[in-house]
């Protein structure tokens, strides 16, 4: 079609085989949309288009992706509120006729239906990172790393130490929105056969916990989607070239981590052996 339709927060560009969604930047645009920037949605990834009446003199044109076509929606698992639906284009009611025209044009081009056998919409690109309540999470395209915070991490996580998970060893990602009570991001093992019931998120070294101001949707959801896409395609997300070895950790940071470890040891939450091993590990980073 080669046309453009502008609405609130986004502009849709219609091509013969896809729709390019460009999200606007600005204080009124949801941060998730700003983080996504733009998304190209192949028509093969869609199974429908709807046009409905919106609020306060608006109409809503919405694309309906096929199940399993978008890693972002799969990671979200239905937890996104209506206002953060990346496939809604809100327009003034006086543009309803034009919106109906584009809806009809799109419907005529759709041929796919039912669940997709692979992701058809690209995931956010690595590297990605965000700060959780109990640590920092980073993803370089091939592995996920958790570095625990001395102020928020539980003693169980401190005992386990900072974690690194290769994509090849993962079977999925579980994202619970930070907007809900006790949100978190959990990495699931590759083989769940005979796996023990999951431990509480604050005790699980494969999980980072969210909280007020930590792991916001616009940071943690794209992160979860990128990891999920990499897991499903086994390394299809381009890896970031390894950077040269950087400077050693800040000695003050290491000293603070050792001090906190000592408090856990004195409280009886860490054994003598665990204290000695972890202390040696931290000193080796200097």
């Amino acid at each position: 079609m080669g046309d453009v339709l502008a609405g609130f927060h986004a502009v849709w560009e219609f091509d013969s085989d896809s729709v390019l969604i460009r999200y606007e930047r600005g204080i009124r645009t949801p941060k998730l949309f700003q983080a996504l920037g733009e998304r190209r949605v192949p028509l093969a990834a869609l199974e429908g288009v709807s046009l409905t009446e919106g609020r306060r003199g608006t109409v809503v044109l919405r694309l309906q992706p096929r199940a399993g076509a978008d890693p972002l929606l799969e990671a979200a698992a239905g937890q996104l509120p209506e206002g953060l639906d990346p496939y809604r284009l809100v327009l003034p009611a006086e543009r309803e006729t034009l919106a109906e025209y584009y809806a009809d044009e799109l419907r005529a081009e759709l041929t796919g239906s039912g669940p997709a056998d692979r992701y058809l919409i690209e995931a956010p690109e690595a590297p990605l990172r965000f700060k959780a309540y109990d640590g920092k999470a980073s993803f370089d395209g091939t592995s996920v790393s958790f570095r625990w915070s001395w102020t928020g991490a539980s003693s169980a996580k401190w005992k386990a130490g900072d974690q690194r998970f290769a994509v090849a060893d993962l079977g999925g990602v579980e994202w619970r929105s930070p907007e809900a009570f006790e949100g978190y991001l959990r990495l699931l093992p590759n083989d769940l056969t005979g796996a023990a019931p999951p431990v509480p998120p604050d005790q699980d070294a494969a999980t980072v916990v969210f909280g007020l101001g930590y792991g916001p949707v616009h940071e943690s959801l794209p992160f979860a989607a990128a990891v999920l896409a990499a897991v499903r395609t086994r390394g299809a997300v381009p890896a970031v070239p390894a950077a040269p070895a950087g400077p050693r950790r800040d000695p003050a940071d290491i000293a603070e981590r050792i001090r906190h470890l000592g408090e856990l040891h004195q409280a009886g939450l860490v054994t003598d052996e665990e204290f000695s091993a972890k202390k040696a590990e931290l000193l080796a980073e200097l």
Side-chain angles (χ1 to χ4, degrees):
M1 290 176 279
D3 295 331
V4 175
L5 184 60
F8 300 113
H9 307 321
V11 174
W12 289 9
E13 298 182 14
F14 302 93
D15 294 325
S16 60
D17 61 352
S18 64
V19 178
L20 177 62
I21 303 177
R22 297 184 185 275
Y23 301 101
E24 295 182 352
R25 295 188 177 277
I27 59 174
R28 295 187 177 182
T29 301
K31 290 183 178 180
L32 175 61
F33 296 169
Q34 296 185 49
L36 294 175
E38 66 178 44
R39 308 195 83 200
R40 183 169 293 279
V41 184
L43 298 185
L46 303 174
E47 62 180 2
V49 183
S50 64
L51 180 64
T52 58
E53 182 178 347
R55 301 175 181 176
R56 300 176 184 176
T58 63
V59 293
V60 179
L61 183 63
R62 185 181 186 277
L63 304 178
Q64 300 168 358
R66 297 165 58 191
D70 181 7
L72 188 82
L73 290 190
E74 186 164 343
Q79 299 176 76
L80 287 179
E82 184 180 78
L84 292 185
D85 183 345
Y87 295 105
R88 295 173 75 250
L89 183 66
V90 182
L91 305 127
E94 56 265 26
R95 307 192 73 185
E96 181 176 3
T97 301
L98 182 61
E100 184 62 55
Y101 164 77
Y102 284 110
D104 289 340
E105 290 290 301
L106 282 172
R107 291 187 190 106
E109 297 292 330
L110 301 185
T111 58
S113 63
D117 59 0
R118 60 186 176 85
Y119 291 137
L120 300 172
I121 302 169
E122 292 187 0
E125 295 184 355
L128 294 166
R129 59 183 58 85
F130 69 90
K131 187 176 182 179
Y133 172 73
D134 57 359
K136 295 180 180 179
S138 61
F139 176 53
D140 63 7
T142 59
S143 63
V144 179
S145 298
F146 293 159
R147 182 186 175 195
W148 306 123
S149 165
W150 67 270
T151 56
S154 65
S155 60
K157 291 183 177 180
W158 269 89
K159 287 181 180 180
D162 294 344
Q163 301 290 301
R164 188 176 185 86
F165 303 87
V167 165
D169 296 330
L170 299 177
V173 178
E174 181 182 359
W175 180 80
R176 181 176 175 85
S177 174
E179 304 298 330
F181 180 65
E182 296 184 342
Y184 58 82
L185 182 144
R186 189 194 304 270
L187 303 177
L188 304 176
N190 192 16
D191 185 5
L192 295 175
T193 304
V199 299
D202 66 326
Q203 303 294 311
D204 185 3
T207 303
V208 287
V209 177
F210 304 149
L212 184 62
Y214 294 95
V217 172
H218 70 280
E219 295 179 356
S220 61
L221 180 57
F223 185 103
V227 175
L228 185 59
V231 168
R232 295 293 170 82
T233 55
R234 293 298 174 206
V237 175
V240 177
R248 294 288 187 177
R249 290 265 184 93
D250 182 357
D253 177 53
I254 295 296
E256 185 59 41
R257 290 164 72 90
I258 291 176
R259 183 194 67 77
H260 183 64
L261 184 65
E263 292 177 352
L264 296 175
H265 180 229
Q266 291 179 359
L269 298 175
V270 175
T271 66
D272 292 343
E273 293 76 12
E274 290 170 335
F275 173 75
S276 298
K278 184 61 180 178
K279 181 179 179 181
E281 178 184 323
L282 291 169
L283 291 174
E285 297 181 17
L286 290 173

